Structure formats: structure tokens, C-alpha cells
Amino acid sequence: QAADSGRVAVRHAQGSVTYTALGAWGDAIAAHLGPVRDAVIGIALPRGTAMIAAWLGCLKAGAAYLPLDPAWPEARRDAALAAAGADRVLDAAMLPARDTRVTFRPSPVHPLALACVFATSGSTGQPKAVGVPHRAIPRLALDQAFAAIGPGDVVVQAGSAAFDAASWEV
């Protein structure tokens, strides 16, 4: 919202980013991704402002993000990518700079379109992909009764970003 545009959206040891700057960075990432509507994009970034901007960029581009824990072994990461049907991974080397400015207009997405995909732990022998539609994210954040969070509150993103609870934390 315009009233919050100058407020800090994400704070991390690497610095903070305002809602306006986060939105602009997400636009730059979306533009950088190109035509990826309905694709699943792996995000291999450590917890921080860049990770959140990458998630946002995927959503703005109409793609779903698949958070990958950078500490995972290569075989675990490859299994998650295969299970989710992701054919591209966005990492730090592929991110546009935080101050990159572009003109990008996100197009609307269907509420049932995938917003993110999480890889299960594979406790049954093989990791599986669990898709979360766009409509589930605002419902989780706004239409819940387990935590009253307001504009002045801060939420710690404490778990692995590859764990589904990270959606609520973010």
C-alpha cells in the first residue's frame, strides 16, 4: 500500500529494503526472467533480502517459486527440481542488481495458479512436490486466527526457506 511504501519490508544482516525498493527489485527480477508464466523456478538463495525479492519476482512474472535450501546436497536439490518440474534455477549470480530499474507490469494470475512449490523431505523414499495456489497465500497471511499481526509487528523468518512455514513467516 502507498502508505507503507517507505517502511522497511525486510531487514536482514545484509541490510534492509523498503516496500517500494522490494517491489522495484521484484519487477527487475520478473523482467530478467522473461516469459515464464506458469513455470516453476527454483530459488537457490540463502535467507535474506535477495531471497524475498526473488520470490516476489517469480510471482510478478506469473511463475511459481521452488525454494531450495543452499545447504542441500546436489542430489537432494536435483530431486526437488525434478519433482517440481522446474527447469531453471535462480541463484545470486543470476539476480539483477538491487538498484536495477525497469518498467514492468505484472499481469493478473488466476487464484488457482501455482504460487510456490515445496519439496517434501522424501521420508517415503522419494521427495514429492506440493503446489500452493495463489489464493492460499493471502488466506494464510490475512484470514487466519492463530496470530494477530499488525503493521508495526515484526516476524522472524526462522525456519528453512524450503519449509512451507516460511510462506507464513515471510
Side-chain angles (χ1 to χ4, degrees), residues 100-164:
T100 302
R101 296 292 181 251
V102 299
T103 300
F104 180 82
R105 292 195 186 351
S107 56
V109 295
H110 192 278
L112 294 178
L114 284 180
C116 54
V117 178
F118 292 97
T120 65
S121 64
S123 61
T124 61
Q126 192 72 334
K128 295 172 186 59
V130 178
V132 179
H134 278 269
R135 74 177 185 178
I137 304 296
R139 184 190 172 285
L140 176 65
L142 303 173
D143 188 22
Q144 47 78 21
F146 58 85
I149 306 262
D153 294 326
V154 175
V155 176
V156 175
Q157 202 274 301
S160 168
F163 183 53
D164 64 348

Side-chain angles (χ1 to χ4, degrees), residues 20-120:
T20 297
L22 182 63
W25 198 3
D27 287 346
I29 292 167
H32 175 73
L33 288 171
V36 293
R37 189 169 198 76
D38 298 325
V40 177
I41 309 291
I43 304 293
L45 293 165
R47 181 186 355 256
T49 56
M51 181 195 78
I52 304 302
W55 289 11
L56 181 59
C58 284
L59 294 172
K60 286 183 170 216
Y65 64 88
L66 167 69
L68 302 166
D69 190 326
W72 283 349
E74 189 175 340
R76 169 77 170 104
R77 180 180 131 159
D78 291 347
L81 290 167
D87 61 357
R88 186 186 310 191
V89 177
L90 188 60
D91 61 18
M94 299 172 172
L95 280 182
R98 184 172 163 174
D99 59 355
T100 302
R101 296 292 181 251
V102 299
T103 300
F104 180 82
R105 292 195 186 351
S107 56
V109 295
H110 192 278
L112 294 178
L114 284 180
C116 54
V117 178
F118 292 97
T120 65

